[in-house]
Amino acid sequence: MAAPGYLGTGITPEQQEAFDRDGYIILRGVLGQDEIQSLREAADRAEQRWLANPKRIGCDLPYLRRVEPLIEYDDKFVELLDHDAFFPVVRELMGSGVAMLDTSYFVTPPRQGWGDTSKWHLDEALTGPYPAPIPLMLKASIPLDEIADLDDGPTAVVPGTHRLSYNDILPDPDDPRDMPGKVPLLASPGDVIIFHGRIHHAAMPNVGTRTRRVLHYNYGHIWMKPWPGYEPSERVRALAKTDVRKQLLHISDHHYQSRLPGTER
């Protein structure tokens, strides 16, 4: 379903159809390998700065290190907010009132068990018999390492569940890999995974031999404020030089009915 303010150029009809039907799409090879390497280096810097911050939020567990909010720990991740490789698709799916809710960097080492992130869940919980016509939230995930099979700990989804009633109950297996109908979202560095906030999903346990590193950008609407603790600092706000980035960081005078540059009709 079309969102208000569609550009008409950022998404193909096939991608729109797949997203409406399945609740996710994977943009293959949209980031170059030089840029992926630059992101890996920035992620390493961000991780060390996060570890040095005694007031950090996120988590540091044997099976998961979650660096949050990512944009506070390296300017490279502010630049990624509205990257041409995937943000036009996000904007068309969400509408011109799109804004950033949170950013994170997940580091999942191999063979360390699993925890709450591997429980099947959805990210948005609008009650009622029917989902909203457009997503309330949408996540863009950028893998920094090859996620080639189930053992690598990919995010898995149950396609089509974004269209279910909030009251519909899915199985809750003790082992998340036992969910009927699951599809692991296998991806390579350079791909971007985009999925609906209402789709049932879970991080599969990493039982392989390599660390899984993924950047997550969670988009909502301008009337949805960032989670407490994720509000952009003055330093990050000062990096917002364009109208689009100002809106994404909740510092512009745009509102839901406004048109981002390029969405005028």
Side-chain angles (χ1 to χ4, degrees):
M1 178 175 291
Y6 260 41
L7 287 171
T9 57
I11 191 169
T12 68
E14 293 78 15
Q15 289 170 332
Q16 182 70 60
E17 180 182 3
F19 186 84
D20 289 345
R21 180 188 66 239
D22 300 327
Y24 73 93
I25 53 175
I26 303 178
L27 309 179
R28 300 289 187 186
V30 294
L31 293 169
Q33 293 309 300
D34 288 346
E35 185 157 21
I36 289 295
Q37 182 57 34
S38 177
L39 290 172
R40 290 188 185 116
E41 293 167 1
D44 288 343
R45 293 192 299 269
E47 184 177 3
Q48 294 307 309
R49 291 167 181 162
W50 179 83
L51 286 169
N53 179 6
K55 297 181 179 180
R56 64 180 180 264
I57 59 176
C59 72
D60 193 9
L61 301 168
Y63 60 86
L64 174 65
R65 175 170 288 169
R66 194 172 68 224
V67 177
E68 297 174 317
L70 180 59
I71 57 174
E72 296 293 338
Y73 292 99
D74 199 277
D75 295 353
K76 181 75 173 177
F77 300 116
V78 178
E79 299 169 8
L80 202 59
L81 285 168
D82 53 353
H83 197 292
D84 287 345
F86 64 90
F87 181 68
V89 175
V90 170
R91 186 164 70 178
E92 291 205 21
L93 292 170
M94 294 292 288
S96 61
V98 62
M100 177 54 57
L101 296 181
D102 62 83
T103 57
S104 55
Y105 172 44
F106 280 34
V107 182
T108 310
R111 302 178 182 177
Q112 296 296 319
W114 67 82
D116 288 346
T117 56
S118 289
K119 297 289 289 183
W120 285 90
H121 65 284
L122 39 79
D123 290 341
E124 66 176 60
L126 181 69
T127 59
Y130 304 109
I134 60 174
L136 287 183
M137 295 195 298
L138 180 151
K139 188 166 287 183
S141 298
I142 303 168
L144 301 183
D145 301 290
E146 190 73 27
I147 305 175
D149 55 41
L150 192 64
D151 285 354
D152 288 331
T155 297
V157 301
V158 181
T161 51
H162 64 299
R163 293 183 280 109
L164 296 179
S165 163
Y166 180 68
N167 299 317
D168 288 331
I169 304 299
L170 267 67
D172 186 22
D174 291 333
D175 187 327
R177 293 167 291 188
D178 293 336
M179 173 65 84
K182 73 177 185 307
V183 173
L185 303 183
L186 307 180
S188 299
D191 297 344
V192 178
I193 301 166
I194 296 176
F195 62 91
H196 198 297
R198 199 180 175 99
I199 197 170
H200 285 260
H201 63 283
M204 297 294 97
N206 184 356
V207 297
T209 60
R210 52 193 170 198
T211 296
R212 171 184 179 264
R213 298 175 294 174
V214 183
L215 311 175
H216 293 293
Y217 282 64
N218 190 27
Y219 296 90
H221 297 273
I222 195 64
W223 47 267
M224 299 165 65
K225 299 308 178 186
W227 314 130
Y230 293 82
E231 303 91 344
S233 66
E234 288 301 320
R235 185 191 66 80
V236 168
R237 289 160 65 94
L239 297 173
K241 304 299 186 183
T242 66
D243 288 342
V244 172
R245 205 166 287 175
K246 288 176 182 177
Q247 176 170 320
L248 287 173
L249 293 175
H250 301 266
I251 57 177
S252 75
D253 58 359
H254 287 290
H255 52 86
Y256 184 72
Q257 289 81 12
S258 296
R259 304 272 182 204
L260 287 174
T263 63
E264 297 84 358
R265 305 179 78 171

